[in-house]
Amino acid sequence: VAQSITTFAADPSAAPAAVTYTARDYAFDGPEKIAGGWTTVTILNRGKDLHQIQFLKLPEGKTARDFRAEMAANPTRLPRWVQRRSGPNSVVPGEQALAIVYLEPGEYVLFCGIPDSHGIPHVVYGMMKPLHVAAAPPRPAEMPSADQTITLADFSFELSQPMRAGARTIRVVNTGGQAHEVVVVKLAPGASVENFLDAFRPGVAFSPAGKPIGGLVGLDPGREGYFRAEFPPGKYGLICFLPDLIT
């Protein structure tokens, strides 16, 4: 019987580079310079509140200091000149979330926009970090493969197929006319998304109706990103908390 045997080595350049940020109340520990291209970003929540990471690309001529000043003056919305490049969405203390985002070379800030018990976003307390994204390596990482696609629109979620239990890589595409996000919530037995929203209180990390397990933070129209999460059997909800900027 003829046999065909091939030996090969895995190409490490095909996988996105990985970086980890540790979130505390209220700061991030992690690198301030990374390479561009597809990047796997993990957030470890070591604080007492929910935390997330939003990557924002700054236009030429704007700095992290300019961003901080505008947020201090009006914490209810982001400056219109920033570009949302997403990031891992909120997780409860002691847990982690993972996103795969595409970052072009340039200057960025990463920040947490979740409000505290007084409704003040964590970024106002200094939970932000400047970031320089250098040019991508000569052999940049390939676009990840996904098990499922979630399409964001104004104002709905569409799943390409029913979600299956297990570890999943989810592609997220924003086809809407403004920025959207997806917060994935593992609902408690018998609870609904409405129950979770009714029970949600800023500054309170844990809810009897369920818990967020990640997803993707704000993504500009026409862009895409990925997140990975473990989906044990059960019921889940998808939520976008970003305010409507069109109507």
Side-chain angles (χ1 to χ4, degrees):
V1 177
Q3 292 184 331
S4 177
I5 300 175
T6 302
T7 301
F8 66 92
D11 181 1
S13 67
V19 295
T20 298
Y21 290 93
T22 300
R24 308 184 190 280
D25 304 329
Y26 298 101
F28 290 112
D29 298 332
E32 294 188 0
K33 181 178 181 179
I34 61 176
W38 287 106
T39 305
T40 299
V41 183
T42 299
I43 178 174
L44 305 176
N45 189 348
R46 297 295 181 261
K48 297 180 180 179
D49 201 349
L50 298 172
H51 291 304
Q52 62 178 197
I53 294 177
Q54 169 79 72
F55 287 87
L56 298 176
K57 190 173 189 300
L58 305 177
E60 190 170 348
K62 294 292 185 180
T63 66
R65 180 175 295 181
D66 296 327
F67 173 76
R68 184 192 294 271
E70 291 222 14
M71 291 303 298
N74 182 6
T76 64
R77 65 171 55 198
L78 294 179
R80 294 188 180 276
W81 38 264
V82 298
Q83 302 169 25
R84 294 180 186 259
R85 293 298 183 260
S86 202
N89 221 326
S90 53
V91 286
V92 298
E95 298 193 8
Q96 66 183 51
L98 183 151
I100 305 171
V101 297
Y102 190 85
L103 302 175
E104 301 94 343
E107 302 305 317
Y108 289 71
V109 292
L110 55 92
F111 80 103
C112 179
I114 294 175
D116 70 353
S117 59
H118 302 289
I120 300 174
H122 295 167
V123 62
V124 176
Y125 297 111
M127 196 166 184
M128 59 169 284
K129 193 177 189 71
L131 175 69
H132 174 74
V133 175
R139 299 183 64 184
E142 299 175 358
M143 184 179 295
S145 59
D147 304 298
Q148 164 80 278
T149 297
I150 297 176
T151 300
L152 313 179
D154 305 331
F155 299 91
S156 65
F157 298 103
E158 180 181 339
L159 278 67
S160 60
Q161 61 187 19
M163 188 71 73
R164 294 181 294 115
R168 299 284 172 247
T169 299
I170 312 299
R171 177 176 177 248
V172 179
V173 181
N174 185 1
T175 63
Q178 58 184 304
H180 293 298
E181 69 171 349
V182 54
V183 180
V184 182
V185 177
K186 175 70 170 71
L187 297 170
S192 65
V193 177
E194 290 75 19
N195 296 147
F196 179 84
L197 291 172
D198 288 342
F200 179 76
R201 298 290 184 273
V204 180
F206 295 94
S207 165
K211 67 176 183 179
I213 62 168
L216 277 186
V217 192
L219 193 64
D220 277 339
R223 296 191 66 89
E224 64 182 297
Y226 298 77
F227 70 91
R228 290 181 184 149
E230 186 76 36
F231 291 87
K235 191 175 181 181
Y236 295 79
L238 305 177
I239 302 172
C240 177
F241 285 102
L242 299 186
D244 178 20
L245 300 180
I246 294 178
T247 58

